[in-house]
């Protein structure tokens, strides 16, 4: 139901309704939760809270509209906006009505102060009001401008505030009711409710009355209702409550010099989370923001120790080896960031405390000496919420590889170098390799396509399917389609599949071999990938042709140094 209609319905059903003054969106929410009928957007409150300024038309119409609109959106009960004098003459009032109506506000109040006004509660009653006709014109203009028949226009007279007495107050109220006002607000700053009571006694028309018992605040809603007031506004108490609470909290923290000093006086963080709808945020993100969910995290596996690299890595792990002024890790992080991957985790082990690049999330594998890659990977399981890119911490690669990886399809993808044969004599089986033997532990893949037979052919995007993977002990190098370079991608679904397979494997292989490994603790990533293949999952390749280097030996390091720019 529209808020305008809600307000009309409340007024038709209840003898009186009570609105409470909000100064911002969260105070409005609290007013709603406390069970009041509606919210009053107090110009006194918004001037103070939003701008720390006096209530004297200092806020523009647009600023007031924004405050009212924010408040309106924070609640689902009717909101009545205090629009002061309408920010000018009848022409301004017409725009006010159009704008506030458009913002979904249930109603507004327009007072007979001139522009600029002074808050009714400020000391002194030497104030001029606009002529009755002028104010009646503002009300007629307001009623003409509204397009929603239920939009509620309150005409407020400041006759008592200006010390003009009850006759003037009544005269004005009648004129405003004649002009079409939906209600009359009779403002008073007398110390008791007698002034408003006497007004109500003489008000015989069906147009409802509105009271703002701030200065005569001992009167109850019931008493005002009995006098004949149908809308009662507690205009500024939440603002004043928050000022007092803040002053006390600040004084206490300043004196005691620690934030929990005022713990008993402040709400827990969770209460703020609840009020602002943090749980909705999570739900909406899950449901709609595919890009947030789809944007992958990366886990860099940098725990291992490589004895062949001693003494080069006597003081730091491999990933911190420098290549022309930048470590391998720095190069990886910069490539990931270029590819739009900003959540990056690093699994540390050997000399882990030397890895301390900022803005990375760290995970520890203290048992790096007795365990292997797969174990390290699952030390970072906390990162496995959406898609994950897994990278070995000792590879240097062309940034375009990540872009290709992210563009490619498939829940589980391995980056496979199709040129690998060029490097190794025993792999080339008579073709022109560079004469090097395939090092032990080289991770190879067999695929389903004919690419294997034609190394020169490399489809730019078309993925191939991995039929088998493992080291060169398991896979005959002369048959292999390519080398796994140590970069893999798991979609959100892919990583769930991998997690489940790992969990099952942990149960089944508590001792004894897992795929090629002597135990699950000593397993590599390709052992898990082979397990996934055995379970019938599809693994696709992301084919590349050179463009990467692995640093396993001193010779690798020298070569890497030469190649990188
Ligand atoms: C307000 O809350 O801004 C009002 C009521 O207009 S008063 O402050 O009493 O003028
Ligand atoms: Mg006001």
């Amino acid at each position: 139901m529209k808020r305008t209609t809600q307000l009309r319905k409340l007024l038709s059903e209840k003898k009186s309704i009570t609105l409470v003054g909000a100064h911002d969106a969260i105070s409005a929410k609290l007013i709603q939760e406390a069970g009041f009928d509606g919210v009053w957007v107090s110009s006194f409150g918004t001037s103070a809270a939003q701008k720390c300024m006096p209530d004297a038309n200092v806020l523009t119409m647009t600023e007031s509209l924004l405050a009212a609109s924010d408040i309106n959106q924070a609640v689902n009960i009717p909101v009545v906006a205090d629009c002061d004098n309408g920010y000018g003459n009848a022409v301004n009032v017409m725009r006010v009505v159009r704008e506030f109506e458009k913002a979904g506000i249930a109603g507004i109040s327009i007072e007979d102060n001139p522009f600029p006004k002074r808050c009714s509660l400020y000391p002194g009653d030497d104030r001029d009001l606009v002529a009755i006709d002028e104010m009646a014109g503002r009300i007629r203009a307001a009623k003409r401008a509204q397009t929603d028949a239920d939009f509620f226009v309150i005409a407020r007279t400041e006759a008592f505030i200006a010390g003009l007495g009850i006759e003037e107050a009544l005269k004005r109220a009648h004129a405003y009711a004649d002009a079409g006002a939906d209600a009359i607000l009779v403002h008073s700053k007398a110390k008791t409710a007698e002034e408003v009571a006497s007004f109500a006694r003489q008000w015989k028309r069906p147009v409802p009355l509105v009271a703002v018992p701030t200065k005569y605040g001992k009167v109850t809603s019931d008493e005002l209702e009995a006098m004949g007031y149908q809308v009662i506004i507690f205009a500024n108490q939440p603002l004043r409550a928050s000022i007092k609470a803040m002053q006390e909290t600040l004084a206490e923290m300043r004196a005691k010099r620690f934030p929990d000093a005022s713990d008993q006086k402040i709400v827990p963080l969770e209460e703020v989370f609840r009020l602002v709808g943090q749980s909705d945020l999570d739900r909406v993100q899950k449901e709609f923001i595919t890009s947030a969910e789809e944007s992958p995290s990366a886990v860099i596996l940098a725990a291992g120790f490589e004895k062949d690299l001693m003494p080069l890595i006597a003081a730091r792990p491999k990933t911190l080896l420098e290549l022309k002024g930048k470590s391998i890790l720095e190069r990886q992080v910069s490539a990931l960031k270029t590819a739009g991957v900003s959540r990056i985790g690093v699994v540390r082990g050997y000399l882990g405390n030397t890895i301390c690049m900022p803005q990375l999330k760290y995970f520890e594998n203290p048992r790096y000496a007795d365990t292997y890659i797969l174990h390290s990977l699952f030390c970072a399981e906390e990162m496995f919420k959406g898609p994950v890119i897994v990278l070995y911490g000792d590879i240097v690669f062309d940034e375009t590889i990540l872009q290709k990886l992210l563009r490619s399809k498939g829940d589980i993808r391995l980056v496979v170098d199709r040129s690998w044969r060029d490097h190794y004599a025993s792999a080339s089986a008579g073709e022109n390799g560079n004469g090097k033997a395939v090092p032990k532990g080289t991770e190879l893949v067999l695929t389903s396509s004919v690419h294997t037979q034609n190394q020169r052919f490399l489809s730019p995007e078309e993925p191939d399917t991995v039929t088998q993977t493992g080291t060169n002990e398991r896979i005959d190098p002369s048959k292999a389609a390519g080398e796994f370079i140590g970069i893999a991608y798991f979609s959100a679904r892919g990583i769930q599949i991998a997690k489940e397979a790992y969990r099952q494997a942990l149960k089944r292989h508590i001792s004894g071999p897992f795929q090629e490994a002597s135990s699950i603790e000593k397993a590599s990533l390709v052992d898990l990938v082979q397990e996934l293949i055995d379970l019938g999952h599809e693994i696709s390749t992301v084919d590349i042709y050179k463009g990467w280097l692995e640093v396993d030996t001193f010779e690798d390091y020298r070569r890497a140094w030469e190649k990188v720019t």
Side-chain angles (χ1 to χ4, degrees):
M1 196 192 295
K2 286 182 301 181
R3 306 284 184 99
T4 49
T5 315
Q6 269 182 49
L7 178 61
R8 296 271 178 181
K9 189 163 177 284
L10 275 175
L11 287 167
S12 71
E13 289 169 359
K14 297 181 82 165
K15 247 186 121 193
S16 76
I17 62 170
T18 304
L19 315 181
V20 178
H23 50 275
D24 59 13
I26 202 159
S27 58
K29 183 80 178 270
L30 294 171
I31 290 162
Q32 170 173 301
E33 289 194 346
F36 287 98
D37 300 300
V39 174
W40 164 252
V41 183
S42 160
S43 68
F44 178 84
T46 53
S47 305
Q50 316 253 325
K51 305 286 173 192
C52 195
M53 288 205 160
D55 180 17
N57 275 133
V58 180
L59 265 65
T60 63
M61 190 279 274
T62 314
E63 286 169 338
S64 308
L65 173 64
L66 186 62
S69 173
D70 288 347
I71 283 169
N72 198 51
Q73 287 176 57
V75 296
N76 51 34
I77 53 178
V79 171
V80 175
D82 170 8
C83 289
D84 294 336
N85 37 24
Y87 313 99
N89 62 22
V91 177
N92 302 83
V93 169
M94 292 182 92
R95 176 160 181 240
V96 167
V97 170
R98 284 194 292 268
E99 297 290 348
F100 281 71
E101 198 188 274
K102 211 160 55 187
I105 306 295
I108 57 167
S109 161
I110 303 286
E111 67 206 23
D112 50 13
N113 270 319
F115 182 94
K117 55 77 80 68
R118 255 173 78 84
C119 172
S120 321
L121 304 175
Y122 291 166
D125 56 8
D126 55 337
R127 58 174 74 221
D128 294 324
L129 305 185
V130 296
I132 296 183
D133 283 350
E134 177 173 349
M135 175 63 183
R138 287 181 193 171
I139 298 304
R140 275 190 286 112
K143 293 308 291 176
R144 177 79 58 82
Q146 77 184 69
T147 58
D148 176 350
D150 287 341
F151 189 75
F152 200 76
V153 177
I154 301 172
R156 157 170 163 179
T157 181
E158 298 274 297
F160 285 134
I161 302 289
L164 301 178
I166 191 159
E167 292 314 316
E168 180 70 12
L170 281 162
K171 192 166 146 203
R172 284 178 174 262
H174 280 291
Y176 307 160
D178 292 344
D182 295 300
I184 302 293
L185 192 162
V186 196
H187 205 10
S188 162
K189 58 174 179 178
K191 287 201 180 68
T192 71
E194 187 38 43
E195 201 165 59
V196 292
S198 66
F199 182 96
R201 279 195 294 274
Q202 297 184 57
W203 185 250
K204 307 290 180 214
R205 297 176 68 157
V207 181
L209 295 180
V210 184
V212 186
T214 303
K215 287 287 180 124
Y216 53 98
K218 294 217 165 23
V219 69
T220 66
S221 293
D222 292 342
E223 288 165 338
L224 284 163
E225 182 189 291
M227 288 173 204
Y229 285 88
Q230 209 194 346
V231 180
I232 295 142
I233 300 175
F234 299 167
N236 49 42
Q237 291 71 19
L239 170 73
R240 289 155 64 195
S242 64
I243 291 172
K244 184 167 167 124
M246 284 191 268
Q247 283 171 335
E248 287 180 5
T249 301
L250 291 165
E252 196 152 9
M253 287 192 300
R254 176 132 168 86
K256 299 192 178 155
R257 306 184 67 75
F258 67 103
D260 281 0
S262 46
D263 223 21
Q264 296 308 309
K265 290 210 182 89
I266 62 180
V267 295
L269 286 169
E270 288 69 23
E271 176 61 355
V272 184
F273 301 167
R274 183 190 72 76
L275 280 165
V276 302
Q278 178 247 335
S279 54
D280 283 356
L281 174 76
D282 293 348
R283 186 180 49 72
V284 167
Q285 277 182 337
K286 269 208 199 87
E287 194 173 341
F288 300 113
I289 310 182
T290 42
S291 63
E293 213 203 351
E294 288 310 312
S295 98
S297 312
V299 174
I300 299 173
L301 304 172
F305 168 73
E306 205 77 56
K307 67 176 183 315
D308 287 352
L309 276 171
M310 286 302 264
L312 209 53
I313 57 162
R316 68 201 140 172
K318 238 190 324 185
T319 201
L320 293 188
L321 284 179
E322 260 189 33
L323 298 166
K324 299 196 179 141
K326 254 180 138 184
S327 69
I328 299 175
L329 182 65
E330 282 171 322
R331 286 171 184 274
Q332 291 197 349
V333 168
S334 125
L336 285 164
K337 294 214 161 137
T338 307
V341 179
S342 53
R343 286 187 307 277
I344 303 172
V346 178
V347 182
R348 302 186 287 202
Y350 171 64
L351 296 179
N353 58 352
T354 57
I355 308 177
C356 49
M357 264 180 85
Q359 287 168 11
L360 304 180
K361 199 164 168 52
Y362 291 105
F363 302 92
E364 315 299 332
N365 178 5
R367 295 183 49 234
Y368 67 89
D370 309 317
T371 60
Y372 199 48
I373 292 172
L374 192 58
H375 183 85
S376 278
L377 176 62
F378 277 86
C379 290
E381 189 168 346
E382 198 190 303
M383 301 276 289
F384 303 169
K385 288 185 184 124
V388 186
I389 301 173
V390 178
L391 304 99
Y392 292 176
D394 60 356
I395 52 170
V396 183
F397 52 87
D398 194 291
E399 293 189 351
T400 56
I401 291 176
L402 284 182
Q403 280 142 28
K404 188 167 184 191
L405 175 72
L406 289 172
R407 269 200 318 271
S408 62
K409 301 264 178 309
D411 281 327
I412 302 165
R413 311 166 202 168
L414 301 185
V415 178
V416 171
D417 181 8
R418 299 286 188 165
S419 83
W420 74 286
R421 213 172 270 256
D422 296 2
H423 303 298
Y424 307 116
S426 56
S428 59
E431 292 170 33
N432 15 315
N434 71 359
K436 244 178 77 180
V438 179
K440 194 163 166 281
T442 300
E443 294 177 329
L444 300 171
V445 298
L446 296 181
T447 66
S448 59
S449 101
V450 289
H451 298 184
T452 311
Q453 303 309 318
N454 182 359
Q455 298 303 318
R456 292 278 165 222
F457 173 75
L458 181 60
S459 158
E461 304 291 342
E462 218 19 55
D464 197 355
T465 304
V466 180
T467 53
Q468 204 184 347
T469 180
T471 69
N472 52 333
E473 280 172 29
R474 178 177 190 152
I475 291 184
D476 176 358
S478 68
K479 298 210 168 65
E483 178 176 2
F484 171 53
I485 76 161
I487 303 181
Y489 176 96
F490 295 85
S491 69
R493 181 169 172 268
I495 198 69
Q496 291 313 319
I497 291 170
K499 264 165 78 170
E500 181 55 22
Y502 180 67
R503 217 169 50 79
Q504 294 297 340
L506 273 181
K507 272 197 214 148
R508 274 185 287 111
H509 302 270
I510 230 144
S511 59
F514 173 67
Q515 296 291 344
E516 261 192 275
S518 60
S519 73
I520 186 127
E521 293 207 317
K522 302 236 191 241
S524 71
L525 180 60
V526 293
D527 289 318
L528 181 66
V529 174
Q530 184 57 50
E531 179 80 1
L532 295 171
I533 295 170
D534 294 348
L535 289 168
H537 297 293
E538 174 144 340
I539 316 293
S540 20
T541 65
V542 177
D543 297 323
I544 61 160
Y545 198 83
K546 303 186 175 170
W548 71 287
L549 288 156
E550 179 181 25
V551 183
D552 266 341
T553 61
F554 198 85
E555 174 55 19
D556 286 341
Y557 181 54
R558 197 196 53 74
R559 219 158 39 92
W561 180 277
E562 233 172 62
K563 294 251 165 90
V564 302
T565 47

